[in-house]
């Protein structure tokens, strides 16, 4: 019964909040490696990312990841 309160751990939704790595990026869209796959990705703002930069996956829109730069806390 406790498992009902746990976050989803299967499917594409399970990678929200995890880290990814930039494969290619141009202004606010590109390709990111996450969870062992290549994903199209976008950002809500124009950001300067380089190949191999770490990103955080904030959301999923269909088959596109919504990302932001990874911030170590």
């Amino acid at each position: 019964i406790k498992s009902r309160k746990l976050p989803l751990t299967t499917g594409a939704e399970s990678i929200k909040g995890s880290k990814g790595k930039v494969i290619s990026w141009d202004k606010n869209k590109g390709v990111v490696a996450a969870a062992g796959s290549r994903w199209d990705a976008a950002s809500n703002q124009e950001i300067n990312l380089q190949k191999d930069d770490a990103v955080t996956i904030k959301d999923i829109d269909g088959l596109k990841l919504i990302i932001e730069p990874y911030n170590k806390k």
Side-chain angles (χ1 to χ4, degrees):
I1 296 180
K2 288 183 181 181
S3 64
R4 292 183 188 177
K5 296 179 182 179
L6 294 175
L8 187 64
T9 58
T10 61
E13 294 290 318
S14 67
I15 65 173
K16 282 185 183 177
S18 65
K19 281 178 48 177
K21 185 167 68 168
V22 173
I23 295 173
S24 65
W25 195 259
D26 183 33
K27 297 181 183 176
N28 68 338
K29 63 184 177 182
V31 179
V32 171
S37 298
R38 292 170 54 116
W39 295 79
D40 287 332
S43 175
N44 294 328
Q45 58 195 12
E46 191 172 304
I47 51 179
N48 184 24
L49 294 172
Q50 304 296 320
K51 184 177 185 206
D52 296 327
D53 283 354
V55 294
T56 301
I57 299 156
K58 298 307 288 179
D59 202 0
I60 299 174
D61 182 15
L63 294 175
K64 185 183 296 182
L65 301 179
I66 308 301
I67 60 99
E68 65 183 24
Y70 177 72
N71 293 321
K72 291 182 182 178
K73 295 180 181 179

